[in-house]
Amino acid sequence: MAIIEQIVELIVRAIMQGTPLLFGSTGEILTEKSGNLNLGIPGIMYIGAISGVIGGFFYQNSTSKVITVLAIIIPLLSSLAGSLLASLIYGFLTITLRANQNVTGLALTTFGVGLGNFFGGSLIKITNSDTPFLALSKISAAYRTTLPFANNLGIFGQLFFSYGFMVYLAVVIALAVSFILKRTRIGLQLRAVGESPATADAAGINVNKYKYFATCIGGMIAGLGGLYYILDYSKGIWANDAFGDRGWLAIAIVIFAIWRPNISILGSYLFGGLYILFNYVSVSMNLLPLMQMLPYVVTIIVLVIVSMRKKRENQPPASLGTNYFREER
Amino acid sequence: MNKTAVSTKDYTHVKKAPFITITKRDATSLKRNILVRVIAIIAALVVSSVITLLITGENPIRLFSTVIDGAFGQFRIWGTAQSVAMLLGIALALTPAFKMKFWNTGGEGQVLIGALASALVMMTASSLPHWLACILVVLAGICAGAIWGIIPAVFKAYWKTNETLFTLMMNYVAIQLIKFFLKVADKSGSSTVGPSLLQYGRLPVIFEQQYMLNIIVVAVLTAMMYIYLRTSKHGYEIAVVGESENTAKYIGINVKKVIIRTMALSGALCGLIGVLLVGATSYSIDPNLAAGNGFTAIMVSWLAKFNPIIMIFTTLLIVVLSRGAENVSMTLGLNKSFSDILTGIILFFIIGCEFFINYKIHFNIAKKESKEVEFNGNN
Amino acid sequence: MSESINKNYALQLRNITKSFGTKVIANKNVDLDVRYGEVLAILGENGSGKTTLMNMIAGIYHPDSGEIYVNGEKASINSPKDAFRYKIGMVHQHFKLVDLFTATENIILGINDGKKYNIAKATDEVKKISQKYGFVLDPNKKIYEMSVSEKQTVEIIKVLYRGADILILDEPTAVLTPQETEKLFDVIRNMRKDGKSILIITHKLHEVLAISDRVSVLRKGEHIATVNTSETTENELTEMMVGKRISLNIGRSEPKNATDRLVVSGINLTNPDGVKVLKDISFTAKAGEILGIAGIAGSGQRELLEAIAGLRTLDSGSVTYINPSDSQITELRSKTPLQIRELGVRLSFVPEDRLGMGLVGNMDIIDNMMLRSYKKGKSVFVDRQPPKQLAEEIIESLEVVTPSAQTPVRRLSGGNVQKVLVGREIASAPSVLMVAYPVRGLDINSSYTIYNLLNKQKENGVAVIYVGEDLDVLLELCDRILVLCAGTVSGILDGRTAEKEEVGLMMTKVNGVKANE
C-alpha cells in the first residue's frame, strides 16, 4: 500500500508542479501560432505573479475580513492586467514597430523578472506596511480551497479533487485553446497567420490584429502560471527567484508538445514530475541536477527528431520569429 | 508587367489610401541614425527617472549622481570595467553567428560549459607544471564552448533544426551540468565550488590588478573580431551567407561548412569568456557565473548592428546603467532587481527606436481626401 | 470596334490605362468585351500587359484611367473583395495557399459569412462544386501533398466557392502536363456550359484554338484586335502577337574561328517538385558567337543555365567544356561552381535574379565585385584593392550612376545594378558567358550598353549564351537561336535568316508537333 500511496503522492505533486508550466506553455503556444516567438514569457510569468500578489496584498491589508470571492477575483484580475500590459509592450515593439522578436523577448524577460523580484522584495518597505514579510496566507487559502468531498474519496479523491481551482483552470484553458486552434474559424485563421502571413493577408485576414490578440491572450494565460505558483503552490509566500527557470521550461514544453496544448497537459505534468522525482526514487541527491536536466535534453531530442522527420504537421509555425511587413506598391 | 512583382505584392489592395502608410527606408543618414537613438535614450532616461521618483520620492539630480557614482565611483570603477569586459566579450563571441543570421541564444550555456571544463582542469591538474595547467585550462574551456556551439549548428546545417530554440535549451543543460558538478565536487552541499578546490592552472594576474587580464583579452578580442569580420575571407563568407544563401550557393560557398565553422568560433569565444570568469577572476564556479550576460549580450550585439566597435558603446551603456541603478537601489535600501527594471525600460526604448530609423511614415491626409473626391465625381 | 455598354455583356472595359512609375506603360486605352458563357483567350507575348490588365479587373491594381462595367453597370473595384462582390475571381500564376492546410481549409480561409464554422459542410460544398464541373480533388488532402495541378484546382474552386461568375485564369497551363491541360479544358467547358465567362491568359496558340470562343490579342500594352477563334489561324494570331519585325540596329559581326567550346548533350533535369523541367537537351555553344535561347517564360531557360553553372544536379546527360588553349576536355556535370572554377573553367553567369542571386543587395559595389574573386590567394584576408579598382573601372567604363563605389547595390537603379553584375562577370575574362534576360527592366540606353558588351565578348572569342524574351533583339543579336518549348529543344535556327513568326511558332510547338499530343 505504501508504494501506491507514494505513487499517488508523486502524481499529485507532479500535477501541482506541472500547472505553472501548463499555463506558460499554453500561452506560448497560442502566441507562437501567430508567428511570434515570445521569449518574454518567463518575464511575463513573473509579472503575472507579482501583479496578482500586489492586488492581493492591498486587498488583504485593506480589510480585516477577507471574502473568498474577492480574494480570488482581485488577484486574478490584477494578474491578468499586469500580464496584458507586459504582452502589449512585446506586441507593440514586434508587431507595430517590427522590432527583432528575440531581442524584444529577452529584454522583456529581464524587465519582468526584475519587476517581480523588485516588488516582491520591496513591497513592504515601499508601502510602509507593518507586516514582517510578504505572505498572503488568507488570499492563498482562498486559492487553495478544494472541493469539500475530496477527502472522502480516498485515492481517487486525492488524485482528482485535491487541488485548488487553478489546476483545473489550466487544463480547461489548454483544452479550450486546443479546441479553438483546431475546430474554429478563428483558430484556422490564426494558424494561417502563423504559417503564411502573406497568404492570410491575401485572404483578407487582418494579420496584425491576430498577432496582437494571440500575443496578449497568450501572455495573460502564461501570467496565470506565475499567479498559481505564488498563491497556491507556495501558499502565498513570495521569495525572490523562487519561480526559477520555470518560464524557460514552459517554452521547452511548447516544443515537446509540438505546438499542441492538449499534449502540453501531459508534457507539463511529466516535466513537473521530473522536477520532484528525486524525492521518491532512492538515488543519490547528486543525481538531482541530471534529472532536472532531463526535460531540456528530451526537448532537444524532440526538436531534432521533428526536424529530421520533416513531418509538416509537427514543424514550428512556418513564420515563427519573423515579422510581417506588406510592402506597399 | 512583372509577374514576380504581382506574386509578392499585396493582393488586398486597400480601398482608399490608408491614413498612415509605412515604407522601408532605402538609406538613412548617419545624422538621423544618431539623432533617433539619442532621443530614444533621453526618453528612456526620463521615463526611468520618473518611475524611480514615483517609487522612491528621490530628487532626480541626486539620483543621477548616484548612477554615475555607481558606475564610475572610486571603489566601483574596476568592477564596471570587469563587467564591461565580460559582457562585451560574450557579445563579440555571438556576433559572427548573428551576422550569419544564426540566432545563437545559447551564449549563456556556452560560457558556462567553458567555465565548467576549465574548472575540471583546475581541480584535477595537480601533477602538471603550472604553465601546462594554464594552457589546459584555456584549451578545455575553448573546446567545450566550441562543442556547445557546433552541436546546434550541425543540426541547423543539415536538417534546418530551429537554432533559436535549440541553443536556448542548451543553456539549461549546461546549468544543470554545473549543478551536478557542484554536488559531486563539493560534498559540503555549497552552492558554489570555491577557490579552495580550484587550485591549479590559475591564469596569471598581471599588473597586480585582478581584472586586467580579462580587460586586455577582451580588448584584443574586440580588435580581432573587427578585423575578422571586416577583412578576412571567413568574415566575407559569413556576410554573404547571412545576406543571401542563394548568392552564397551561386558563387560556390559551402554553406553548411560556414555555418558549422562560425558556430564553432562563436561557441569557442564564449567558452573563452567562461575560462576568464573561472580561471582569472573568481576561481569559483556556480550556475549564475555568467549572470545572464549570455542573454544581455544578444541585445548588446544587436543594438550595435553587429559592429564590434559600436559594441563597446552599447556595452558601456548597459553596464553603466545597470551598475548605476544597482547603486541607486543600494543607497535607497531597495532590492537590487531595481536595476533590471531600468535596464529593461531602456532596452525597450532603444529597440523601439530602430523602427524610426528603418521605416518612413507617411500621413496621407491630403491624398485621402482628393481620392474620395475623385470617386464621388465619377459616380 | 467596341460595342456600346449594355447588359448583354458580362464585363466591358473602356479606355483602361495603367502605368508603373513614369517610364513603364503597362496598358494603354484598352477596350474589351466579355460575353456571358464564353471563353475569351487573352493572347500576348511576355510583357504585353496581359496580367496587369487582368489584375485590374480582379482588384489588385487600380487603373490610372478608364472604366470597368459589369453586367452593363459601372463597377468600382478597388480590392479583390470588391471584385468578388461583382462575382469576379482570378486564379493567379503563383498560388496563395497555406501548405499545411487541407484543400477545404484553404478554400474557406478568410470567409466570414457570419455562419457557423462547419468544416464538414464546407467539405460537402467543395465536393458538390467538384462534381458539378468535373474536378478531381480530395477536399481533405493537404496542399503540401498535392501536385501542381491539384493546387491549381484548389485555387479555381476557391474562386467558384466565392460565387464568381467571371473567372480569370493567368497562364493556367504553364505548369500542367498535356494530360492535365486536357482535364482543365474539360472543366472550363463545363463552366462555360454553366453560363460562366472565362478569361484565360496564355501564349500557347494551339491551346487558344482548342479552348477559346474568341481571342483578344495584346501587344506592348495595347489591344490589337479581338477575333472569333473559328475564323482565325495560328499564323494570323502569331503575326498579331509579335507584330512586324522592328529594326533595332544592333550590330552583329560575322563569327570568327567558331570552334566548339561547350557541348551539352542529352541532359535531363527534375526539379525539387518532381517535375521534369529539362528533357534531353543537346546543343553546342561555339567560341566567338552568340547563341540565343528563345522560349516562353518558364520553358526551362533558368534551369538550363543553372544546370550548366553547377547549381543543379542533373538526372542524366553531360556538359563538356573544351579548353580554348589546349583543347583539353573537362566534364562539368555534378561539379559545384567552386569546383568548376578550380578546374580552370572560366564560366561566367549573369542570372535572372540579379539581387537575389547574382549580387548581394546590402553590400556595396566593391564587396559585390569580390564575390567571384575573394578566395584568390593564400592569405586569410581579403584584398579589397583589386575589387576596388575593378569597381571604379566598371563605374567609369559602363557609366554606372552611383554616389560612390561604397554604395550598397540595392540602392542603384535596375540598369545600373545590371551593369555592375555584367561588368563583374565579364571582368573575369570568361571563355563562356551565360546571360539570362540581361536587359529586362532596362531603358534603351542601358540595353544597348549591354548588347555592345556582349558583342565585344563575342569578338574576343567568348562563347556567349543569351537567354532573352524579345524576339526582335534575339533576331538581331544572335548568330544562332535555340528555341525551347516546355523543357525540350524545338529547333536551332540561324539568327540571320530566321523569321519572327517561325520562332514564335516553334516556341509554342515542339518540332511542329503540338505539345499536347
Side-chain angles (χ1 to χ4, degrees):
Chain A
M1 269 322 271
I3 288 182
I4 292 179
E5 270 167 30
Q6 277 217 334
I7 291 174
V8 169
E9 196 192 321
L10 170 67
I11 293 173
V12 169
R13 294 209 41 202
I15 288 174
M16 291 167 72
Q17 273 286 351
T19 296
L21 305 179
L22 181 53
F23 277 116
S25 53
T26 306
E28 179 72 12
I29 289 174
L30 189 61
T31 311
E32 289 192 17
K33 278 289 178 187
S34 75
N36 280 0
L37 176 64
N38 188 352
L39 295 183
I41 282 289
I44 292 178
M45 292 180 85
Y46 265 88
I47 292 175
I50 197 64
S51 308
V53 165
I54 291 172
F57 179 78
F58 282 115
Y59 176 61
Q60 187 173 286
N61 285 3
S62 68
T63 173
S64 54
K65 197 174 170 295
V66 170
I67 305 164
T68 309
V69 178
L70 286 180
I72 287 174
I73 285 181
I74 289 173
L76 196 67
L77 288 182
S78 53
S79 166
L80 289 175
S83 310
L84 174 62
L85 287 177
S87 309
L88 277 175
I89 295 177
Y90 177 87
F92 180 69
L93 287 170
T94 59
I95 301 165
T96 301
L97 298 187
R98 298 177 196 128
N100 180 296
Q101 294 186 8
N102 295 337
V103 176
T104 310
L106 291 172
L108 182 58
T109 287
T110 305
F111 175 77
V113 174
L115 196 79
N117 284 337
F118 173 72
F119 283 106
S122 321
L123 198 56
I124 289 163
K125 187 176 149 47
I126 294 173
T127 54
N128 295 318
S129 167
D130 48 9
T131 28
F133 59 97
L134 193 50
L136 304 176
S137 39
K138 289 177 199 159
I139 303 280
S140 172
Y143 271 77
R144 293 165 64 81
T145 309
T146 56
L147 290 170
F149 52 81
N151 294 334
N152 309 332
L153 294 172
I155 288 177
F156 185 73
Q158 221 189 332
L159 267 180
F160 294 103
F161 299 115
S162 65
Y163 316 100
F165 77 97
M166 286 194 81
V167 171
Y168 307 104
L169 183 64
V171 176
V172 169
I173 290 177
L175 292 176
V177 171
S178 212
F179 178 82
I180 288 169
L181 286 174
K182 241 200 216 143
R183 304 244 177 266
T184 67
R185 178 175 294 139
I186 290 174
L188 182 77
Q189 305 199 348
L190 177 65
R191 284 187 287 137
V193 167
E195 283 297 324
S196 170
T199 304
D201 195 7
I205 296 168
N206 187 337
V207 173
N208 282 0
K209 193 173 104 187
Y210 270 86
K211 277 180 169 260
Y212 261 110
F213 272 98
T215 303
C216 289
I217 295 172
M220 283 154 73
I221 294 172
L224 290 179
L227 185 74
Y228 166 84
Y229 182 79
I230 302 301
L231 292 188
D232 187 333
Y233 188 84
S234 305
K235 305 191 171 81
I237 297 162
W238 177 279
N240 275 0
D241 287 323
F243 191 68
D245 61 1
R246 285 181 175 79
W248 297 114
L249 206 54
I251 291 177
I253 291 169
V254 172
I255 304 162
F256 178 83
I258 42 177
W259 289 266
R260 288 174 176 80
N262 46 1
I263 301 183
S264 141
I265 299 174
L266 192 77
S268 300
Y269 294 161
L270 186 70
F271 283 20
L274 286 172
Y275 235 76
I276 43 135
L277 188 63
F278 64 93
N279 285 330
Y280 299 89
V281 279
S282 51
V283 293
S284 118
M285 275 293 281
N286 290 352
L287 293 177
L288 167 63
L290 294 187
M291 262 173 184
Q292 294 190 338
M293 189 172 87
L294 223 52
Y296 296 107
V297 175
V298 170
T299 299
I300 289 173
I301 292 171
V302 170
L303 188 64
V304 166
I305 290 175
V306 161
S307 65
M308 279 176 157
R309 284 187 52 207
K310 295 195 162 52
K311 190 163 181 318
R312 295 290 295 265
E313 282 78 3
N314 295 342
Q315 300 303 317
S319 79
L320 187 65
T322 56
N323 297 329
Y324 179 61
F325 175 50
R326 182 171 71 197
E327 198 82 47
E328 302 285 345
R329 219 192 144 92
Chain B
M1 232 4 242
N2 186 339
K3 269 166 221 130
T4 54
V6 173
S7 74
T8 53
K9 292 288 152 60
D10 48 332
Y11 272 38
T12 47
H13 212 67
V14 217
K15 186 161 187 173
K16 283 156 216 148
F19 178 57
I20 294 174
T21 40
I22 292 159
T23 51
K24 252 192 186 122
R25 263 175 212 282
D26 257 359
T28 349
S29 64
L30 184 68
K31 208 174 114 192
R32 189 187 170 83
N33 248 311
I34 295 171
L35 190 73
V36 171
R37 289 198 172 86
V38 168
I39 292 174
I41 291 171
I42 292 173
L45 290 177
V46 169
V47 171
S48 305
S49 40
V50 168
I51 286 173
T52 321
L53 199 71
L54 285 177
I55 289 173
T56 64
E58 201 60 44
N59 168 357
I61 310 245
R62 229 200 71 167
L63 215 58
F64 195 65
S65 71
T66 317
V67 168
I68 297 296
D69 195 48
F72 301 110
Q74 206 185 346
F75 301 107
R76 296 186 53 94
I77 182 100
W78 278 108
T80 302
Q82 158 72 2
S83 299
V84 168
M86 294 299 98
L87 181 56
L88 178 59
I90 302 171
L92 289 168
L94 298 179
T95 298
F98 290 164
K99 266 209 110 154
M100 197 173 63
K101 301 225 164 82
F102 183 107
W103 290 103
N104 181 9
T105 52
E108 188 92 358
Q110 289 149 20
V111 171
L112 289 175
I113 208 72
L116 178 61
S118 299
L120 279 173
V121 176
M122 289 168 75
M123 202 166 82
T124 52
S126 56
S127 56
L128 298 175
H130 179 67
W131 62 270
L132 188 58
C134 280
I135 290 173
L136 269 184
V137 163
V138 174
L139 279 182
I142 287 178
C143 290
I147 290 169
W148 231 238
I150 287 171
I151 294 170
V154 168
F155 287 99
K156 169 79 177 182
Y158 285 90
W159 294 282
K160 298 210 179 316
T161 310
N162 184 314
E163 80 278 11
T164 314
L165 298 170
F166 199 132
T167 48
L168 190 68
M169 295 301 126
M170 293 287 280
N171 290 330
Y172 300 97
V173 175
I175 287 175
Q176 298 299 343
L177 281 179
I178 289 188
K179 285 188 181 163
F180 176 63
F181 173 70
L182 299 185
K183 298 249 186 233
V184 177
D186 191 343
K187 302 278 184 272
S188 71
S190 150
S191 60
T192 59
V193 167
S196 58
L197 284 168
L198 305 182
Q199 292 276 4
Y200 314 104
R202 292 183 177 183
L203 302 180
V205 174
I206 46 179
F207 303 133
E208 295 173 10
Q209 180 37 257
Q210 182 71 59
Y211 301 139
M212 191 53 89
L213 180 69
N214 299 348
I215 293 165
I216 291 173
V217 168
V218 171
V220 171
L221 196 60
T222 310
M224 280 174 55
M225 186 51 74
Y226 183 78
I227 293 166
Y228 179 76
L229 291 175
R230 291 278 297 214
T231 64
S232 80
K233 287 178 181 171
H234 284 186
Y236 184 73
E237 286 177 341
I238 288 170
V240 175
V241 171
E243 287 289 345
S244 158
E245 247 183 66
N246 239 345
T247 308
K249 284 182 190 143
Y250 160 76
I251 59 170
I253 291 176
N254 185 341
V255 175
K256 290 184 176 74
K257 188 176 123 191
V258 173
I259 290 178
I260 294 168
R261 185 183 69 202
T262 308
M263 269 309 287
L265 175 72
S266 188
L269 293 178
C270 281
L272 177 66
I273 302 300
V275 172
L276 294 176
L277 284 168
V278 172
T281 314
S282 65
Y283 315 123
S284 71
I285 184 166
D286 68 276
N288 199 31
L289 183 76
N293 277 338
F295 295 110
T296 314
I298 295 170
M299 298 177 255
V300 167
S301 174
W302 184 82
L303 290 177
K305 289 267 154 72
F306 315 133
N307 181 327
I309 305 297
I310 298 176
M311 235 168 273
I312 300 174
F313 298 101
T314 50
T315 311
L316 261 174
L317 179 76
I318 302 245
V319 170
V320 166
L321 289 170
S322 74
R323 278 181 71 81
E326 214 177 278
N327 201 33
V328 171
S329 39
M330 221 154 59
T331 41
L332 298 177
L334 295 173
N335 170 308
K336 73 173 169 42
S337 298
F338 191 59
S339 72
D340 288 340
I341 300 180
L342 297 187
T343 310
I345 291 172
I346 288 153
L347 284 172
F348 291 146
F349 273 90
I350 309 180
I351 292 167
C353 86
E354 292 289 316
F355 177 79
F356 300 95
I357 295 170
N358 296 329
Y359 295 92
K360 219 186 238 163
I361 306 166
H362 313 263
F363 297 94
N364 303 325
I365 306 163
K367 235 185 179 176
K368 187 182 169 188
E369 279 164 357
S370 71
K371 239 193 173 172
E372 270 187 342
V373 171
E374 185 192 306
F375 281 118
N376 294 338
N378 284 344
N379 288 335
Chain C
M1 183 167 114
S2 46
E3 301 292 323
S4 63
I5 305 301
N6 65 60
K7 268 194 165 334
N8 295 327
Y9 288 97
L11 178 76
Q12 290 174 299
L13 306 186
R14 287 296 173 269
N15 272 319
I16 296 285
T17 297
K18 174 77 182 173
S19 54
F20 292 111
T22 48
K23 277 181 200 159
V24 190
I25 295 171
N27 288 117
K28 203 171 149 192
N29 298 328
V30 176
D31 288 3
L32 206 65
D33 297 297
V34 185
R35 297 174 183 153
Y36 296 102
E38 77 160 349
V39 177
L40 176 67
I42 310 290
L43 186 66
E45 284 190 300
N46 295 323
S48 56
K50 307 177 297 261
T51 301
T52 309
L53 185 68
M54 294 301 116
N55 276 335
M56 282 188 276
I57 303 172
I60 284 160
Y61 298 142
H62 194 270
D64 298 341
S65 61
E67 294 99 48
I68 299 174
Y69 299 86
V70 179
N71 305 330
E73 308 248 333
K74 187 163 185 293
S76 151
I77 301 173
N78 292 303
S79 72
K81 274 197 173 164
D82 283 356
F84 275 118
R85 221 167 292 140
Y86 291 104
K87 294 183 178 283
I88 301 171
M90 180 162 171
V91 174
H92 297 272
Q93 238 186 328
H94 299 267
F95 306 142
K96 286 267 174 185
L97 297 167
V98 180
D99 274 359
L100 212 54
F101 286 6
T102 64
T104 307
E105 285 172 335
N106 268 292
I107 288 165
I108 61 169
L109 188 67
I111 298 181
N112 279 323
D113 49 8
K115 282 182 216 143
K116 199 174 166 289
Y117 176 79
N118 187 338
I119 200 88
K121 211 176 131 213
T123 308
D124 279 346
E125 278 172 53
V126 169
K127 274 187 192 150
K128 260 185 221 148
I129 294 175
S130 300
Q131 276 163 9
K132 185 171 176 189
Y133 297 108
F135 291 106
V136 183
L137 180 76
D138 173 3
N140 295 318
K141 199 169 176 183
K142 300 262 170 94
I143 300 298
Y144 68 83
E145 295 169 326
M146 288 186 177
S147 69
V148 185
S149 101
E150 286 175 294
K151 289 180 193 172
Q152 185 181 62
T153 304
V154 175
E155 288 282 14
I156 297 173
I157 295 181
K158 204 159 122 186
V159 170
L160 292 170
Y161 188 90
R162 284 162 172 74
D165 285 334
I166 301 170
L167 281 92
I168 305 167
L169 309 177
D170 188 357
E171 296 193 29
T173 60
V175 290
L176 301 183
T177 64
Q179 292 78 12
E180 289 167 342
T181 305
E182 263 318 305
K183 274 188 204 150
L184 174 68
F185 284 178
D186 285 342
V187 168
I188 291 178
R189 289 185 192 110
N190 287 337
M191 292 196 286
R192 173 172 62 189
K193 228 181 282 166
D194 195 39
K196 308 222 181 258
S197 310
I198 297 118
L199 290 95
I200 173 168
I201 300 182
T202 181
H203 35 215
K204 295 183 187 168
L205 291 175
H206 61 274
E207 291 181 359
V208 170
L209 296 176
I211 186 71
S212 70
D213 300 306
R214 295 189 303 146
V215 193
S216 291
V217 183
L218 292 185
R219 188 169 76 222
K220 299 203 180 349
E222 289 185 67
H223 178 220
I224 300 303
T226 298
V227 293
N228 289 326
T229 310
S230 55
E231 295 161 11
T232 189
T233 61
E234 287 197 12
N235 287 340
E236 192 191 10
L237 288 175
T238 308
E239 207 182 292
M240 285 196 278
M241 187 163 91
V242 296
K244 293 267 179 303
R245 188 168 169 172
I246 304 157
S247 179
L248 298 165
N249 290 320
I250 304 171
R252 172 165 54 190
S253 57
E254 284 299 320
K256 280 171 271 181
N257 308 324
T259 51
D260 290 2
R261 181 62 53 82
L262 191 74
V263 182
V264 172
S265 63
I267 62 173
N268 286 285
L269 177 72
T270 309
N271 74 4
D273 295 334
V275 179
K276 281 204 88 174
V277 282
L278 297 179
K279 290 166 223 156
D280 199 27
I281 290 195
S282 301
F283 65 90
T284 305
K286 292 179 178 159
E289 70 159 28
I290 299 180
L291 173 68
I293 296 183
I296 291 157
S299 300
Q301 296 95 320
R302 184 194 189 120
E303 289 84 358
L304 177 59
L305 296 200
E306 290 187 3
I308 296 171
L311 296 170
R312 303 230 181 195
T313 317
L314 292 172
D315 303 341
S316 61
S318 74
V319 179
T320 324
Y321 172 79
I322 300 156
N323 195 311
S325 51
D326 53 9
S327 302
Q328 206 183 332
I329 287 171
T330 316
E331 177 57 46
L332 304 186
R333 188 186 158 189
S334 53
K335 299 228 163 42
T336 66
L338 206 62
Q339 288 168 328
I340 291 175
R341 233 174 316 146
E342 279 162 1
L343 286 167
V345 177
R346 299 202 309 277
L347 179 73
S348 282
F349 176 29
V350 176
E352 178 182 346
D353 188 0
R354 292 164 206 164
L355 284 178
M357 185 182 250
L359 300 165
V360 179
N362 281 331
M363 285 185 171
D364 65 17
I365 301 178
I366 299 172
D367 276 15
N368 270 295
M369 288 301 132
M370 235 158 53
L371 277 172
R372 283 289 188 202
S373 60
Y374 80 97
K375 270 228 143 136
K376 259 184 208 150
K378 287 206 178 96
S379 161
V380 295
F381 295 108
V382 288
D383 183 359
R384 276 196 172 73
Q385 216 43 51
K388 184 164 183 253
Q389 262 168 26
L390 178 61
E392 277 157 6
E393 270 168 40
I394 288 174
I395 290 169
E396 163 119 31
S397 62
L398 300 186
E399 293 168 346
V400 179
V401 181
T402 173
S404 77
Q406 277 85 12
T407 307
V409 290
R410 89 186 134 79
R411 281 169 55 195
L412 307 182
S413 71
N416 289 308
V417 166
Q418 186 66 317
K419 285 178 191 170
V420 169
L421 177 54
V422 173
R424 184 192 71 205
E425 290 301 302
I426 288 173
S428 55
S431 53
V432 177
L433 172 64
M434 302 191 290
V435 289
Y437 308 108
V439 297
R440 188 182 273 175
L442 267 56
D443 60 26
I444 307 280
N445 281 331
S446 305
S447 300
Y448 276 89
T449 312
I450 302 290
Y451 301 143
N452 292 339
L453 282 172
L454 295 179
N455 267 326
K456 206 179 276 169
Q457 291 302 307
K458 164 186 162 183
E459 281 152 26
N460 291 346
V462 177
V464 180
I465 299 175
Y466 175 97
V467 174
E469 47 200 344
D470 188 329
L471 290 184
D472 290 318
V473 173
L474 280 161
L475 288 169
E476 283 205 21
L477 181 69
C478 302
D479 299 296
R480 289 185 302 145
I481 298 171
L482 182 155
V483 188
L484 277 181
C485 175
T488 55
V489 178
S490 55
I492 299 179
L493 304 168
D494 186 326
R496 287 172 177 76
T497 57
E499 289 297 322
K500 198 169 173 182
E501 288 75 31
E502 195 183 359
V503 179
L505 281 173
M506 283 171 77
M507 279 160 58
T508 55
K509 289 191 215 163
V510 186
N511 297 329
V513 184
K514 283 184 182 178
N516 62 345
E517 281 174 5

